Amino acid sequence: MMTTHKKRFVIHLVILLSVAIILSMLMFFSSKEDISLNALPGFFLQTSSSIFLLLAPPAYFNIYWLIPNFLVKKKYLIYTIIVVALVVVWGYILGIGEPWIDRNWFNEPNEKPNYGVGVIGIVLLLIITTLLHISYRWFIQLSTIKQIENDQLHLELSSLKNQINPHFFFNTLNNLYALSLEKSDQTPSVILKLSEMMRYTIYDCKEQEVSLEGELTYIENFIALQKVRHHKRGVITLKNDIDNTNIKIAPMILIVFIENAFKHGFDLLDKEAFINISLKNEDNILQFYIENNFSNSTEKHEKGIGLENVKRRLALIYPDTHELKIVKNETLFSVDLKLYV
Protein backbone atom coordinates (compact mmCIF):
# COMPACT_ATOMS: atom_id res chain seq x y z
CA MET A 1 0.00 0.00 0.00
CA MET A 2 1.17 3.53 -0.81
CA THR A 3 2.17 5.58 2.22
CA THR A 4 0.71 9.00 2.94
CA HIS A 5 3.93 10.77 1.88
CA LYS A 6 4.08 8.83 -1.38
CA LYS A 7 0.44 9.61 -2.10
CA ARG A 8 1.06 13.30 -1.43
CA PHE A 9 4.12 13.25 -3.68
CA VAL A 10 2.18 11.61 -6.51
CA ILE A 11 -0.74 14.04 -6.13
CA HIS A 12 1.55 17.08 -6.20
CA LEU A 13 3.50 15.69 -9.16
CA VAL A 14 0.27 15.22 -11.09
CA ILE A 15 -0.86 18.75 -10.21
CA LEU A 16 2.42 20.32 -11.33
CA LEU A 17 2.47 18.32 -14.55
CA SER A 18 -1.14 19.31 -15.22
CA VAL A 19 -0.25 22.97 -14.75
CA ALA A 20 2.72 22.51 -17.08
CA ILE A 21 0.50 20.94 -19.73
CA ILE A 22 -2.07 23.73 -19.50
CA LEU A 23 0.57 26.47 -19.70
CA SER A 24 2.35 24.78 -22.60
CA MET A 25 -0.94 24.52 -24.47
CA LEU A 26 -1.61 28.22 -23.85
CA MET A 27 1.88 29.12 -25.06
CA PHE A 28 1.46 26.95 -28.14
CA PHE A 29 -1.90 28.40 -29.20
CA SER A 30 -0.92 31.98 -28.36
CA SER A 31 2.30 31.79 -30.37
CA LYS A 32 2.34 34.21 -33.27
CA GLU A 33 4.70 32.01 -35.24
CA ASP A 34 3.49 29.38 -37.67
CA ILE A 35 4.52 26.22 -35.83
CA SER A 36 3.47 22.57 -36.00
CA LEU A 37 2.33 20.17 -33.33
CA ASN A 38 5.87 18.82 -33.18
CA ALA A 39 6.79 21.96 -31.23
CA LEU A 40 4.31 21.15 -28.45
CA PRO A 41 6.71 18.86 -26.49
CA GLY A 42 9.24 21.71 -26.52
CA PHE A 43 6.73 24.08 -24.96
CA PHE A 44 5.93 21.43 -22.35
CA LEU A 45 9.62 20.97 -21.44
CA GLN A 46 10.08 24.72 -21.26
CA THR A 47 7.18 25.28 -18.87
CA SER A 48 8.02 22.14 -16.85
CA SER A 49 11.60 23.25 -16.28
CA SER A 50 10.45 26.68 -15.10
CA ILE A 51 7.80 25.20 -12.79
CA PHE A 52 9.94 22.48 -11.21
CA LEU A 53 13.22 24.43 -10.99
CA LEU A 54 12.14 27.99 -10.34
CA LEU A 55 8.56 28.12 -9.06
CA ALA A 56 8.06 24.92 -7.05
CA PRO A 57 10.98 25.39 -4.59
CA PRO A 58 9.82 28.75 -3.10
CA ALA A 59 6.17 27.64 -3.17
CA TYR A 60 6.84 24.45 -1.21
CA PHE A 61 9.32 26.24 1.07
CA ASN A 62 6.51 28.65 1.97
CA ILE A 63 3.83 25.96 2.34
CA TYR A 64 5.76 23.33 4.30
CA TRP A 65 8.17 25.40 6.37
CA LEU A 66 7.32 29.08 6.60
CA ILE A 67 3.56 28.84 7.12
CA PRO A 68 3.55 25.96 9.68
CA ASN A 69 6.52 27.26 11.70
CA PHE A 70 5.84 30.97 11.68
CA LEU A 71 2.53 32.12 10.22
CA VAL A 72 0.38 29.47 11.95
CA LYS A 73 2.25 30.05 15.23
CA LYS A 74 1.58 33.81 14.88
CA LYS A 75 5.27 34.70 14.53
CA TYR A 76 4.32 37.33 12.01
CA LEU A 77 7.48 39.45 12.23
CA ILE A 78 9.83 36.53 11.60
CA TYR A 79 7.58 35.29 8.80
CA THR A 80 7.59 38.73 7.16
CA ILE A 81 11.38 39.06 7.39
CA ILE A 82 11.98 35.64 5.83
CA VAL A 83 9.41 36.29 3.10
CA VAL A 84 11.05 39.61 2.23
CA ALA A 85 14.45 37.90 2.08
CA LEU A 86 12.97 35.14 -0.06
CA VAL A 87 11.45 37.70 -2.45
CA VAL A 88 14.79 39.51 -2.79
CA VAL A 89 16.89 36.38 -3.26
CA TRP A 90 14.55 34.18 -5.25
CA GLY A 91 13.22 37.13 -7.23
CA TYR A 92 16.77 37.62 -8.47
CA ILE A 93 17.14 33.90 -9.23
CA LEU A 94 13.82 33.88 -11.06
CA GLY A 95 14.62 37.08 -12.93
CA ILE A 96 17.89 35.75 -14.35
CA GLY A 97 17.15 32.01 -14.23
CA GLU A 98 14.09 32.02 -16.49
CA PRO A 99 15.83 33.88 -19.37
CA TRP A 100 18.99 31.79 -18.93
CA ILE A 101 17.03 28.54 -19.25
CA ASP A 102 15.20 29.84 -22.32
CA ARG A 103 18.45 31.01 -24.00
CA ASN A 104 20.66 28.04 -23.23
CA TRP A 105 18.18 25.15 -23.19
CA PHE A 106 15.52 26.21 -25.66
CA ASN A 107 17.48 28.48 -28.04
CA GLU A 108 15.59 31.72 -27.42
CA PRO A 109 18.34 34.39 -27.65
CA ASN A 110 15.93 37.32 -27.19
CA GLU A 111 15.27 36.47 -23.55
CA LYS A 112 17.05 38.91 -21.21
CA PRO A 113 17.31 39.00 -17.40
CA ASN A 114 14.59 41.05 -15.70
CA TYR A 115 14.90 41.39 -11.93
CA GLY A 116 11.65 43.35 -11.62
CA VAL A 117 9.65 40.63 -13.33
CA GLY A 118 11.29 38.04 -11.06
CA VAL A 119 10.33 39.95 -7.91
CA ILE A 120 6.75 40.47 -9.06
CA GLY A 121 6.51 36.82 -10.01
CA ILE A 122 7.74 35.54 -6.66
CA VAL A 123 5.46 37.97 -4.75
CA LEU A 124 2.41 36.75 -6.68
CA LEU A 125 3.49 33.13 -6.20
CA LEU A 126 3.83 33.54 -2.42
CA ILE A 127 0.51 35.37 -2.11
CA ILE A 128 -1.36 32.72 -4.12
CA THR A 129 0.23 29.74 -2.34
CA THR A 130 -0.31 31.32 1.09
CA LEU A 131 -3.99 32.04 0.42
CA LEU A 132 -4.57 28.57 -1.03
CA HIS A 133 -2.81 26.83 1.85
CA ILE A 134 -4.60 28.86 4.52
CA SER A 135 -7.93 28.15 2.80
CA TYR A 136 -7.08 24.44 2.72
CA ARG A 137 -6.12 24.42 6.41
CA TRP A 138 -9.33 26.29 7.26
CA PHE A 139 -11.39 23.76 5.29
CA ILE A 140 -9.67 20.82 7.03
CA GLN A 141 -10.19 22.38 10.46
CA LEU A 142 -13.83 23.08 9.66
CA SER A 143 -14.31 19.48 8.51
CA THR A 144 -12.62 18.20 11.67
CA ILE A 145 -14.80 20.37 13.90
CA LYS A 146 -17.89 19.21 12.03
CA GLN A 147 -16.86 15.57 12.44
CA ILE A 148 -16.28 16.07 16.17
CA GLU A 149 -19.69 17.72 16.50
CA ASN A 150 -21.31 14.82 14.61
CA ASP A 151 -19.52 12.28 16.81
CA GLN A 152 -20.67 14.12 19.94
CA LEU A 153 -24.20 14.28 18.53
CA HIS A 154 -24.29 10.53 17.90
CA LEU A 155 -22.90 9.84 21.35
CA GLU A 156 -25.52 12.05 22.97
CA LEU A 157 -28.36 10.50 20.94
CA SER A 158 -27.10 7.03 21.79
CA SER A 159 -27.01 7.99 25.46
CA LEU A 160 -30.54 9.36 25.30
CA LYS A 161 -31.84 6.18 23.66
CA ASN A 162 -30.03 4.04 26.21
CA GLN A 163 -31.85 5.98 28.94
CA ILE A 164 -35.25 5.49 27.33
CA ASN A 165 -35.21 1.78 26.48
CA PRO A 166 -34.72 0.33 30.01
CA HIS A 167 -37.37 2.76 31.25
CA PHE A 168 -40.00 1.08 29.05
CA PHE A 169 -38.79 -2.41 29.81
CA PHE A 170 -39.17 -1.92 33.54
CA ASN A 171 -42.68 -0.51 33.19
CA THR A 172 -43.81 -3.35 30.92
CA LEU A 173 -42.25 -6.01 33.12
CA ASN A 174 -44.16 -4.53 36.04
CA ASN A 175 -47.35 -4.97 34.04
CA LEU A 176 -46.48 -8.58 33.29
CA TYR A 177 -45.67 -9.23 36.94
CA ALA A 178 -49.06 -7.84 37.98
CA LEU A 179 -50.85 -10.10 35.46
CA SER A 180 -48.95 -13.15 36.62
CA LEU A 181 -50.01 -12.47 40.18
CA GLU A 182 -53.61 -12.29 38.99
CA LYS A 183 -53.07 -15.54 37.00
CA SER A 184 -54.66 -13.84 34.04
CA ASP A 185 -55.42 -15.82 30.88
CA GLN A 186 -53.97 -12.93 28.93
CA THR A 187 -50.47 -13.55 30.26
CA PRO A 188 -49.27 -15.53 27.14
CA SER A 189 -50.40 -12.80 24.74
CA VAL A 190 -48.80 -10.19 26.96
CA ILE A 191 -45.51 -12.11 26.92
CA LEU A 192 -45.71 -12.28 23.10
CA LYS A 193 -46.31 -8.54 22.82
CA LEU A 194 -43.51 -7.87 25.25
CA SER A 195 -41.21 -10.04 23.16
CA GLU A 196 -42.09 -8.07 20.02
CA MET A 197 -41.46 -4.79 21.83
CA MET A 198 -38.10 -5.92 23.15
CA ARG A 199 -37.05 -7.15 19.71
CA TYR A 200 -38.00 -3.79 18.24
CA THR A 201 -36.11 -1.73 20.81
CA ILE A 202 -33.02 -3.96 20.83
CA TYR A 203 -32.59 -4.47 17.07
CA ASP A 204 -34.64 -2.02 15.00
CA CYS A 205 -33.96 1.03 17.16
CA LYS A 206 -30.24 0.78 16.52
CA GLU A 207 -30.88 2.59 13.24
CA GLN A 208 -31.06 6.36 13.10
CA GLU A 209 -34.46 6.11 11.43
CA VAL A 210 -37.19 3.47 11.46
CA SER A 211 -40.36 3.05 9.47
CA LEU A 212 -43.49 4.59 10.94
CA GLU A 213 -45.10 1.18 10.62
CA GLY A 214 -42.69 -0.33 13.16
CA GLU A 215 -43.18 2.59 15.52
CA LEU A 216 -46.96 2.26 15.27
CA THR A 217 -46.81 -1.47 16.00
CA TYR A 218 -44.76 -0.74 19.08
CA ILE A 219 -47.26 1.89 20.22
CA GLU A 220 -50.22 -0.44 19.65
CA ASN A 221 -48.54 -3.20 21.66
CA PHE A 222 -47.74 -0.78 24.44
CA ILE A 223 -51.34 0.47 24.61
CA ALA A 224 -52.65 -3.11 24.50
CA LEU A 225 -50.53 -4.00 27.52
CA GLN A 226 -51.77 -0.96 29.40
CA LYS A 227 -55.39 -1.77 28.59
CA VAL A 228 -54.96 -5.25 30.01
CA ARG A 229 -53.77 -3.88 33.30
CA HIS A 230 -55.87 -0.71 33.58
CA HIS A 231 -59.10 -1.58 31.78
CA LYS A 232 -61.22 -0.40 34.73
CA ARG A 233 -59.61 3.01 35.11
CA GLY A 234 -60.98 4.62 31.98
CA VAL A 235 -60.83 4.83 28.18
CA ILE A 236 -57.84 4.77 25.84
CA THR A 237 -58.41 5.67 22.19
CA LEU A 238 -55.97 5.57 19.30
CA LYS A 239 -57.06 7.17 16.03
CA ASN A 240 -54.78 6.22 13.18
CA ASP A 241 -55.20 8.20 9.96
CA ILE A 242 -51.79 7.41 8.53
CA ASP A 243 -51.93 6.56 4.84
CA ASN A 244 -48.20 6.13 4.34
CA THR A 245 -46.57 3.87 6.90
CA ASN A 246 -43.25 3.90 5.01
CA ILE A 247 -42.43 7.32 6.43
CA LYS A 248 -39.08 7.29 8.23
CA ILE A 249 -38.82 8.83 11.69
CA ALA A 250 -36.43 8.68 14.62
CA PRO A 251 -37.19 5.68 16.85
CA MET A 252 -38.87 5.98 20.23
CA ILE A 253 -39.93 9.60 19.72
CA LEU A 254 -43.71 9.27 19.97
CA ILE A 255 -43.92 6.61 22.65
CA VAL A 256 -42.40 8.92 25.26
CA PHE A 257 -45.47 11.18 25.23
CA ILE A 258 -47.78 8.17 25.54
CA GLU A 259 -45.80 6.73 28.41
CA ASN A 260 -45.87 10.13 30.10
CA ALA A 261 -49.67 10.28 29.78
CA PHE A 262 -49.97 6.95 31.61
CA LYS A 263 -47.36 7.70 34.25
CA HIS A 264 -48.66 11.13 35.27
CA GLY A 265 -52.35 10.74 34.49
CA PHE A 266 -53.97 7.39 33.79
CA ASP A 267 -52.01 5.40 36.39
CA LEU A 268 -52.88 7.84 39.16
CA LEU A 269 -56.64 8.03 38.60
CA ASP A 270 -59.03 5.42 40.01
CA LYS A 271 -61.77 6.07 37.47
CA GLU A 272 -62.89 8.28 34.59
CA ALA A 273 -59.36 8.52 33.24
CA PHE A 274 -58.85 9.00 29.52
CA ILE A 275 -56.10 9.19 26.94
CA ASN A 276 -56.87 10.25 23.39
CA ILE A 277 -54.22 9.73 20.72
CA SER A 278 -54.38 10.64 17.06
CA LEU A 279 -51.90 10.32 14.22
CA LYS A 280 -52.21 11.64 10.70
CA ASN A 281 -49.99 12.66 7.85
CA GLU A 282 -50.40 15.13 5.05
CA ASP A 283 -47.75 15.57 2.37
CA ASN A 284 -44.47 15.66 4.31
CA ILE A 285 -46.00 16.49 7.71
CA LEU A 286 -46.57 13.86 10.38
CA GLN A 287 -48.85 15.12 13.16
CA PHE A 288 -49.10 13.42 16.53
CA TYR A 289 -51.57 14.59 19.16
CA ILE A 290 -52.22 13.20 22.62
CA GLU A 291 -54.27 14.46 25.54
CA ASN A 292 -54.93 13.02 28.98
CA ASN A 293 -56.61 14.10 32.16
CA PHE A 294 -54.96 14.09 35.56
CA SER A 295 -55.67 15.09 39.11
CA ASN A 296 -53.72 17.82 40.86
CA SER A 297 -54.21 16.04 44.14
CA THR A 298 -52.52 12.86 42.93
CA GLU A 299 -50.02 14.18 40.40
CA LYS A 300 -46.43 13.63 41.38
CA HIS A 301 -44.36 16.70 40.64
CA GLU A 302 -41.25 14.78 39.80
CA LYS A 303 -39.00 15.58 36.89
CA GLY A 304 -38.22 12.35 35.05
CA ILE A 305 -36.12 11.66 32.01
CA GLY A 306 -39.09 11.32 29.63
CA LEU A 307 -40.17 14.75 28.38
CA GLU A 308 -36.81 16.45 28.80
CA ASN A 309 -35.20 13.55 26.98
CA VAL A 310 -37.53 13.68 24.00
CA LYS A 311 -37.28 17.48 23.78
CA ARG A 312 -33.51 17.18 23.56
CA ARG A 313 -33.72 14.45 20.93
CA LEU A 314 -36.15 16.51 18.86
CA ALA A 315 -33.79 19.48 19.05
CA LEU A 316 -30.88 17.35 17.88
CA ILE A 317 -32.58 15.28 15.18
CA TYR A 318 -35.17 17.77 13.92
CA PRO A 319 -33.59 21.15 14.73
CA ASP A 320 -35.63 23.16 12.23
CA THR A 321 -38.16 20.58 11.11
CA HIS A 322 -40.46 20.07 14.06
CA GLU A 323 -43.07 21.94 16.06
CA LEU A 324 -43.85 20.92 19.62
CA LYS A 325 -46.67 22.47 21.60
CA ILE A 326 -47.33 21.32 25.18
CA VAL A 327 -50.35 22.66 27.03
CA LYS A 328 -51.21 22.00 30.65
CA ASN A 329 -54.15 23.37 32.58
CA GLU A 330 -55.79 22.32 35.84
CA THR A 331 -56.90 18.84 34.74
CA LEU A 332 -55.79 18.38 31.11
CA PHE A 333 -52.38 17.81 29.57
CA SER A 334 -51.92 17.81 25.78
CA VAL A 335 -49.06 17.47 23.32
CA ASP A 336 -49.21 18.51 19.68
CA LEU A 337 -46.17 17.45 17.67
CA LYS A 338 -45.51 18.06 13.97
CA LEU A 339 -42.58 16.43 12.22
CA TYR A 340 -41.58 17.61 8.76
CA VAL A 341 -40.42 14.32 7.30
Side-chain angles (χ1 to χ4, degrees), residues 29-140:
F29 288 112
S30 62
S31 177
K32 296 180 180 180
E33 300 177 6
D34 186 14
I35 54 179
S36 64
L37 288 175
N38 294 329
L40 190 58
F43 284 111
F44 174 73
L45 291 174
Q46 188 175 357
T47 55
S48 297
S49 61
S50 297
I51 289 172
F52 283 93
L53 297 178
L54 298 175
L55 299 179
Y60 282 104
F61 178 71
N62 182 42
I63 291 172
Y64 287 105
W65 194 73
L66 289 181
I67 293 176
N69 290 293
F70 300 104
L71 190 60
V72 173
K73 296 179 180 179
K74 298 182 179 180
K75 299 178 180 179
Y76 301 123
L77 180 59
I78 300 176
Y79 178 77
T80 302
I81 293 172
I82 297 176
V83 165
V84 171
L86 181 63
V87 169
V88 172
V89 174
W90 206 267
Y92 176 78
I93 295 174
L94 183 61
I96 66 171
E98 175 72 19
W100 187 91
I101 290 174
D102 290 342
R103 284 197 313 270
N104 293 278
W105 291 5
F106 301 101
N107 195 26
E108 294 186 9
N110 295 327
E111 293 292 331
K112 297 180 180 181
N114 193 325
Y115 180 67
V117 172
V119 169
I120 294 173
I122 195 66
V123 168
L124 291 176
L125 178 67
L126 292 177
I127 290 174
I128 293 172
T129 54
T130 300
L131 291 176
L132 288 175
H133 188 69
I134 290 175
S135 299
Y136 173 75
R137 291 176 69 92
W138 175 81
F139 175 77
I140 293 298

Side-chain angles (χ1 to χ4, degrees), residues 16 28 43 60 94 101 139 174 182 201 207 219 226 230-231 237 245 248 274 281 295 305 317 330 337:
L16 293 176
F28 175 79
F43 284 111
Y60 282 104
L94 183 61
I101 290 174
F139 175 77
N174 286 336
E182 297 172 3
T201 54
E207 303 297 328
I219 290 172
Q226 297 292 348
H230 301 304
H231 64 279
T237 60
T245 57
K248 296 290 185 178
F274 68 83
N281 71 292
S295 173
I305 65 172
I317 303 172
E330 293 183 358
L337 172 65

Side-chain angles (χ1 to χ4, degrees), residues 121-176:
I122 195 66
V123 168
L124 291 176
L125 178 67
L126 292 177
I127 290 174
I128 293 172
T129 54
T130 300
L131 291 176
L132 288 175
H133 188 69
I134 290 175
S135 299
Y136 173 75
R137 291 176 69 92
W138 175 81
F139 175 77
I140 293 298
Q141 289 177 352
L142 191 65
S143 300
T144 302
I145 292 172
K146 188 66 176 177
Q147 184 61 46
I148 292 172
E149 289 176 350
N150 288 336
D151 291 342
Q152 290 176 340
L153 173 64
H154 290 313
L155 285 173
E156 184 172 358
L157 288 173
S158 177
S159 175
L160 290 172
K161 281 200 287 187
N162 288 337
Q163 290 176 6
I164 284 291
N165 291 345
H167 191 57
F168 286 108
F169 287 151
F170 293 144
N171 283 346
T172 309
L173 286 172
N174 286 336
N175 293 344
L176 181 59

Side-chain angles (χ1 to χ4, degrees), residues 252-278:
M252 308 295 287
I253 284 287
L254 306 180
I255 190 63
V256 177
F257 299 110
I258 300 174
E259 192 274 344
N260 185 74
F262 279 99
K263 181 179 179 181
H264 297 287
F266 208 90
D267 291 354
L268 303 178
L269 295 173
D270 294 329
K271 58 182 179 178
E272 297 181 353
F274 68 83
I275 296 178
N276 298 321
I277 307 167
S278 68

